[in-house]
Amino acid sequence: MAPSPKRSFLPLSLSLILSLSALFLFSLYRSSTSTTSSTSHFSLPSLHSPPPPFTFTVKLLAFDRLSSLSRCLRSLSVAHYDNDRVNLHIFIDHFKVTDTSSTGSLDVDSKLNESRKILDFVDGFNWEFGEKLVHYRTGNVGLQAQWLEAWWPSSDDEFAFVVEDDLEVSPLYYKFLKGLIGYYYYNASNFSPWIYGASLQRPRFVPGKHGNKLQLDSNTRIFLYQLVGTWGQLLFPRPWKEFRLWYDTHKTKGIKPFLQGMVTSGWYKRMGERIWTPWYIKFIHSHGYFNLYTSFSHERALSISHRDAGVNYGKTAGPDSNLLDVKSLDFNLLEMQPLSKLKWYDYCFRQVLPDRVVRDLNELGFVLHSLQKSKTIILVNVHKVSQTVTRNLLCHFEGLNIQNYILVGPKSNFLLDLARRGHPVIDVDQFLENMQSHKMIDFQRSTLGLIKEILVNAYVVEKTLELGYNTWLVDGNMLPVSSNMFLDVTDPSFDFYAGNTFKVLFVRSSSSAKKIWVDDFIQRVEKMVNSLKGKDLVSMDGRNFAFVVTKLLEQKGVKIKARRNRYVDHRWRIFVHGCCLSRVMTSDCQRRCLLQ
Ligand SMILES: *[C@@H]1O[C@H](CO)[C@@H](O)[C@H](O)[C@H]1NC(C)=O
Ligand SMILES: *[C@@H]1O[C@H](CO)[C@@H](O)[C@H](O)[C@H]1NC(C)=O
């Protein structure tokens, strides 16, 4: 529903500009996410019998802190390596070379001396487990290049474990990572192409503004979380390579790694290219990847940071956690839980429930149950809604903390990918096939999708009424402006609300509404749909479930709350070609969503 008729008809030139810019943004989007699809060709690493066929390299990033570096190296060298070959690559960043006329050459001399000491120490450091390689930089490159240039995987059987110099690792760290690689990478039943690695640090930080507190029950020892952990991060080869290519594309084209609602966007604004995490966080978000984490009791971890003064800390903050060592080990470290048992968390530390795909009424019950925090369900119809617009809508839902929705649409890779990322979906094709009573062959192809959608909505609403949920049916082309709109249907004298362009319909969970549905409503919908048989798309234009239901309810003489309902009109905006029509929303929605 357009707030006023004027807004629904933009001048042609303006709408052309809007659609062209949307097209442009869309193609940017496509190019930025094209690597996503390549992951579907990911071939599972072959399962070999032990010893594992992988190479393991520690990438140690150092700068100018000799005492930190020596502590880190010492902890690495006393770890248990089971006679496996483990390489050590040390990257030493150079100090900043500034104009010496003001500071004097004494300062430079002492810095040169400090560097020599670090190099001497590293040269004299004995590494008996594999290759030792020292990379001494000629200029100051900062943490971003230190991380990104530390590794280019040359095979799918190569792993990098990145540590910054103020870390200390547990003597057990390698045994654990080896077990983890064997279990979650080389065991096909626990492998997922969406896992990019494992962090050994104690999880502490939630980067999404207004995110949940990081809380886990005491039974959770391993879980999945999107955030990268910079204190002891194991990287899997394929996602890292994808990241390097993604970064290359975005950086070269000047696309910034802003992510709405994340504190890391603020870091990026302040620190720019000195840090790398905003880039990686944005990449992980766009690809829907996850990281393995450990949660041990008593604030223990296999890798801790001493948070020494340096690039990240102005002054030394001290160890963040307790090191889990052989002495304090009071459980079986190598016992891994099957992937299917692990919990997944997004950047706001909200639990993600992947792969909620509804294919029949039974599964609908489960999914509704998983949304049970709310007594109201939003069914979003995405038939004929473009991917960009759908993503944008979901992005707005996320921004408004709306979680009680289900997407209703035809089966597609896109829909399944959304489900994998935790958005519940109803696959209308499969759903109707399982209802079995419908032969769709008589319908023209052009109207088939719409008809399926109408039928599925009718069944779904029947089920939601039966289970006691209010239901909003909304068109995927709509945008919520405020999350309140779903709370404000307070006038109990009406069971139904409808918008004047049939883009929104509300069905209250009441005994009277239920009665209407249970009586013969589904049959009426089916009959009406059958009467549409053979009609072409033109005559179906603007017809959707809300339209059909409204007509039928009117025929039955049911009161429907004013179509120009202020609640509805004021809180939804029509959304065309990937951009909002309302002027207030245009810049907001572009900033918030389309750039992703
Ligand atoms: C640098 O080291 C040299 C030789 O060890 C020493 O003579 C010199 O005083 C040192 N300079 C500074 C500024 O520390
Ligand atoms: C692979 O994982 C499955 C399921 O978790 C487990 O039962 C099986 O023992 C594992 N196989 C190996 C070789 O570890």
Side-chain angles (χ1 to χ4, degrees):
M1 65 246 349
S4 73
K6 246 185 269 158
R7 282 203 191 140
S8 28
F9 298 101
L10 275 186
L12 187 63
S13 55
L14 180 54
S15 57
L16 194 67
I17 289 168
L18 287 179
S19 43
L20 279 180
S21 59
L23 201 67
F24 171 65
L25 287 164
F26 182 62
S27 53
L28 277 185
Y29 183 79
R30 286 290 297 262
S31 64
S32 67
T33 52
S34 54
T35 43
T36 319
S37 54
S38 65
T39 54
S40 54
H41 308 305
F42 191 100
S43 54
L44 216 74
S46 51
L47 184 64
H48 296 257
S49 46
F54 58 81
T55 58
F56 188 95
T57 303
V58 178
K59 304 280 184 173
L60 173 50
L61 313 182
F63 183 30
D64 58 358
R65 301 179 290 197
L66 178 55
S67 60
S68 306
L69 175 63
S70 59
R71 178 180 55 211
C72 182
L73 281 171
R74 211 177 315 118
S75 72
L76 285 166
S77 67
V78 297
H80 306 286
Y81 291 106
D82 300 351
N83 290 323
D84 291 351
R85 188 179 161 79
V86 170
N87 304 315
L88 173 66
H89 294 176
I90 306 170
F91 298 81
I92 303 169
D93 203 3
H94 200 275
F95 61 83
K96 280 199 187 75
V97 181
T98 45
D99 184 6
T100 53
S101 54
S102 59
T103 50
S105 61
L106 206 64
D107 193 36
V108 174
D109 281 342
S110 80
K111 280 183 171 166
L112 282 169
N113 276 10
E114 193 59 29
S115 295
R116 298 290 183 278
K117 275 196 224 154
I118 288 176
L119 288 166
D120 285 346
F121 179 81
V122 165
D123 282 345
F125 182 78
N126 180 34
W127 183 256
E128 60 192 50
F129 311 103
E131 169 195 62
K132 182 180 88 178
L133 181 146
V134 179
H135 185 117
Y136 181 46
R137 302 213 184 256
T138 54
N140 184 264
V141 298
L143 273 176
Q144 190 182 107
Q146 279 274 75
W147 271 86
L148 268 69
E149 292 179 14
W151 192 34
W152 181 263
S154 53
S155 86
D156 287 347
D157 299 309
E158 206 182 283
F159 297 85
F161 178 59
V162 187
V163 289
E164 292 178 6
D165 57 4
D166 59 350
L167 301 190
E168 187 178 353
V169 296
S170 157
L172 301 166
Y173 93 92
Y174 175 76
K175 273 178 172 295
F176 176 76
L177 286 180
K178 180 183 171 183
L180 180 143
I181 292 169
Y183 197 81
Y184 293 109
Y185 193 83
Y186 286 106
N187 184 338
S189 50
N190 295 302
F191 173 81
S192 161
W194 318 115
I195 298 178
Y196 66 82
S199 169
L200 292 189
Q201 77 172 75
R202 186 165 66 88
R204 316 182 46 183
F205 176 56
V206 177
K209 288 177 193 161
H210 320 297
N212 294 328
K213 221 176 138 210
L214 206 150
Q215 248 167 354
L216 293 152
D217 60 61
S218 55
N219 299 326
T220 301
R221 201 172 291 157
I222 296 182
F223 64 99
L224 292 138
Y225 181 27
Q226 287 202 283
L227 188 65
V228 65
T230 53
W231 299 338
Q233 174 70 47
L234 175 75
L235 296 168
F236 288 175
R238 184 65 63 105
W240 182 255
K241 210 161 164 171
E242 275 177 28
F243 166 61
R244 290 289 311 269
L245 296 169
W246 177 95
Y247 167 88
D248 201 15
T249 306
H250 284 66
K251 183 101 179 211
T252 315
K253 293 184 177 181
I255 306 168
K256 302 290 183 214
F258 292 128
L259 196 54
Q260 175 81 14
M262 297 280 282
V263 297
T264 48
S265 295
W267 299 355
Y268 183 75
K269 280 177 197 151
R270 278 202 308 283
M271 295 189 263
E273 302 306 327
R274 276 184 292 163
I275 51 174
W276 73 288
T277 40
W279 290 97
Y280 198 72
I281 283 171
K282 174 88 178 178
F283 163 78
I284 293 306
H285 184 265
S286 70
H287 285 59
Y289 286 172
F290 287 84
N291 200 10
L292 287 160
Y293 270 86
T294 59
S295 167
F296 307 132
S297 54
H298 312 300
E299 309 203 329
R300 289 175 301 177
L302 289 164
S303 170
I304 63 171
S305 169
H306 287 269
R307 301 185 290 182
D308 296 326
V311 180
N312 292 321
Y313 292 91
K315 57 177 196 247
T316 300
D320 74 292
S321 302
N322 305 316
L323 206 55
L324 175 69
D325 56 15
V326 183
K327 274 206 311 286
S328 65
L329 187 66
D330 50 5
F331 58 91
N332 182 359
L333 186 64
L334 297 183
E335 185 191 316
M336 310 271 164
Q337 295 152 308
L339 184 68
S340 57
K341 293 250 160 65
L342 303 190
K343 288 183 174 158
W344 305 65
Y345 295 92
D346 68 9
Y347 280 133
C348 293
F349 215 73
R350 281 189 303 237
Q351 196 179 345
V352 174
L353 301 169
D355 299 322
R356 280 176 295 171
V357 181
V358 174
R359 300 179 190 85
D360 57 40
L361 283 172
N362 234 346
E363 286 176 338
L364 179 63
F366 287 121
V367 169
L368 288 171
H369 189 69
S370 74
L371 302 170
Q372 67 182 338
K373 268 189 222 150
S374 176
K375 243 195 75 74
T376 300
I377 297 298
I378 306 165
L379 294 177
V380 182
N381 289 298
V382 295
H383 168 67
K384 284 205 179 284
V385 178
S386 78
Q387 296 191 5
T388 314
V389 171
T390 306
R391 279 188 213 273
N392 195 47
L393 176 73
L394 292 172
C395 175
H396 279 268
F397 277 170
E398 196 177 325
L400 295 169
N401 199 22
I402 294 172
Q403 291 172 52
N404 49 324
Y405 57 86
I406 307 181
L407 304 173
V408 185
K411 185 192 225 118
S412 65
N413 287 338
F414 176 62
L415 200 73
L416 295 179
D417 188 56
L418 290 178
R420 180 186 72 72
R421 290 161 187 257
H423 308 287
V425 305
I426 296 178
D427 168 353
V428 296
D429 298 293
Q430 198 63 52
F431 193 96
L432 282 182
E433 216 162 276
N434 290 336
M435 296 298 294
Q436 277 176 350
S437 57
H438 292 281
K439 296 267 173 286
M440 289 296 180
I441 35 179
D442 291 349
F443 293 105
Q444 292 205 353
R445 279 182 64 86
S446 55
T447 53
L448 194 56
L450 185 57
I451 283 162
K452 284 181 178 178
E453 189 179 292
I454 291 171
L455 286 170
V456 169
N457 277 314
Y459 294 125
V460 170
V461 170
E462 185 178 37
K463 184 81 178 177
T464 56
L465 282 172
E466 182 192 316
L467 295 174
Y469 293 95
N470 301 320
T471 309
W472 280 96
L473 289 126
V474 300
D475 191 289
N477 279 313
M478 307 289 293
L479 268 190
V481 182
S482 140
S483 53
N484 295 338
M485 74 152 288
F486 302 116
L487 306 172
D488 276 352
V489 187
T490 48
D491 183 350
S493 53
F494 292 90
D495 287 329
F496 300 93
Y497 287 65
N500 58 355
T501 51
F502 307 110
K503 297 280 188 186
V504 177
L505 177 77
F506 174 78
V507 182
R508 183 190 307 284
S509 162
S510 67
S511 51
S512 44
K514 204 159 142 186
K515 185 163 185 319
I516 290 171
W517 228 268
V518 170
D519 270 0
D520 61 344
F521 203 67
I522 296 256
Q523 286 92 310
R524 282 164 173 267
V525 172
E526 284 168 356
K527 224 167 113 192
M528 181 138 176
V529 158
N530 274 321
S531 75
L532 296 170
K533 235 184 238 183
K535 290 201 178 149
D536 63 13
L537 195 64
V538 180
S539 60
M540 286 295 289
D541 197 26
R543 308 289 188 267
N544 57 14
F545 181 66
F547 171 82
V548 170
V549 170
T550 309
K551 291 287 159 229
L552 288 174
L553 289 173
E554 279 171 358
Q555 282 173 19
K556 279 185 82 108
V558 176
K559 270 196 302 184
I560 299 177
K561 177 82 175 177
R563 289 189 187 163
R564 285 179 219 290
N565 179 336
R566 299 178 70 91
Y567 290 117
V568 173
D569 282 354
H570 281 174
R571 292 187 185 168
W572 289 87
R573 298 286 185 269
I574 293 184
F575 190 75
V576 173
H577 296 310
C579 213
C580 310
L581 287 185
S582 154
R583 230 170 277 143
V584 200
M585 287 297 291
T586 304
S587 60
D588 189 40
C589 87
Q590 280 185 356
R591 190 180 71 235
R592 182 178 284 163
C593 302
L594 288 177
L595 294 179
Q596 279 181 20

